[in-house]
Amino acid sequence: MILMKFKAVLFDLIGTSVIEKPGTIICCFVDAFRTNHVEIDMDFLQSHRGRGKKEIIESLLKSSGIPEKTTLKVYDDFRSNVESRITDFSAASSTEEIFSLVRSLNIKLGIGTGLPQSIFKLISRQLGWNEKMFDYIGIAEEVGTGRPDPAMINDMMKELDINSGNEFLKVGDTSADIQEGKNAGVKTAVILSGTQDSGMLRNENPDYVLESLADIKNI
């Protein structure tokens, strides 16, 4: 079993451990930008899935030459949009099983997200998750930067006293997740049933390619 050699696993939240009704996050972005009269580059939004949400907004506005002060307004609208659609989120079919497997093997369990802490808490409540089930919760805003920067993985490794990248597995569904893991020097597994094109994900050369989260137990 692959997980036996790892001391810790960090799972991405949306698209990996939690599924959304199709297009929820993108729609929340689109509505926030349109409310603030900003042109939307849909390809940009899709290709940047997995990154910190405020960073995505900052990058798009900067590329469009829009004043930085607009960032916070768009971000606040995005958060409000997600909060209003919190029932669009549910646990992936095998999430609870995989989390239980990780814990049964005495492997440290982490969850990470580019969403703000307030929304993570709402999603956790929606799913009936007790945050104490995790040994580590990573919020991009709180560690200072989002994927593909390795700050979250580095923070988890430091907090849990893990010194070797070979003992740590990052599991996600976007190119940003894979790049984050590679930048941190840890092993990476990508889920093809998530939010990005499988060809793009394979081109990132993750250590493990999985059709679904459940496949972790079968490697």
Side-chain angles (χ1 to χ4, degrees):
M1 206 177 270
I2 178 178
L3 294 178
M4 289 299 288
K5 69 180 180 179
F6 295 114
K7 290 185 177 179
V9 183
L10 176 61
F11 292 93
D12 171 52
L13 186 69
I14 305 299
T16 301
S17 307
V18 172
I19 56 175
E20 59 184 295
K21 285 186 178 178
T24 293
I25 292 293
I26 292 294
C27 285
C28 290
F29 270 123
V30 169
D31 289 346
F33 281 117
R34 285 180 175 163
T35 297
N36 291 277
H37 312 291
V38 176
E39 264 320 295
I40 305 135
D41 185 335
M42 297 298 290
D43 290 338
F44 180 94
L45 287 177
Q46 187 59 35
S47 65
H48 283 69
R49 288 295 302 252
R51 297 174 183 256
K53 304 306 177 276
K54 185 184 287 186
E55 293 173 34
I56 292 175
I57 294 169
E58 288 174 341
S59 296
L60 195 147
L61 294 180
K62 185 176 181 180
S63 68
S64 302
I66 295 170
E68 188 176 338
K69 64 181 181 181
T70 307
T71 296
L72 287 179
K73 179 64 170 63
V74 175
Y75 185 52
D76 285 343
D77 289 338
F78 168 76
R79 288 193 301 180
S80 296
N81 292 342
V82 176
E83 289 170 2
S84 71
R85 299 183 61 168
I86 209 70
T87 56
D88 284 3
F89 300 97
S90 59
S93 60
S94 57
T95 296
E96 303 292 345
E97 177 187 5
I98 295 302
F99 284 0
S100 294
L101 171 63
V102 170
R103 289 194 295 267
S104 73
L105 296 173
N106 294 316
I107 296 169
K108 299 297 184 181
L109 175 63
I111 192 85
T113 182
L115 291 168
Q117 176 78 257
S118 59
I119 292 179
F120 174 76
K121 287 182 177 296
L122 287 174
I123 290 175
S124 294
R125 194 176 308 150
Q126 161 76 8
L127 303 182
W129 287 358
N130 183 336
E131 293 181 23
K132 292 181 179 179
M133 66 192 279
F134 300 106
D135 298 291
Y136 176 84
I137 296 173
I139 306 294
E141 284 184 352
E142 297 185 0
V143 298
T145 187
R147 297 165 294 215
D149 191 284
M152 192 182 298
I153 291 176
N154 292 338
D155 185 55
M156 181 174 171
M157 291 180 74
K158 180 179 179 181
E159 187 171 312
L160 300 179
D161 195 26
I162 302 206
N163 301 309
S164 171
N166 289 326
E167 298 173 336
F168 192 106
L169 178 66
K170 171 60 196 278
V171 183
D173 68 298
T174 67
S175 58
D177 289 307
I178 302 168
Q179 292 165 9
E180 174 196 22
K182 288 183 176 293
N183 289 338
V186 303
K187 298 297 183 182
T188 57
V190 69
I191 309 295
L192 297 184
S193 58
T195 58
Q196 286 187 331
D197 176 72
S198 61
M200 179 173 67
L201 297 175
R202 290 179 188 275
N203 285 340
E204 295 289 347
N205 295 313
D207 294 290
Y208 308 101
V209 177
L210 311 175
E211 292 296 329
S212 69
L213 186 62
D215 290 341
I216 286 180
K217 65 182 178 180
N218 297 322
I219 298 175

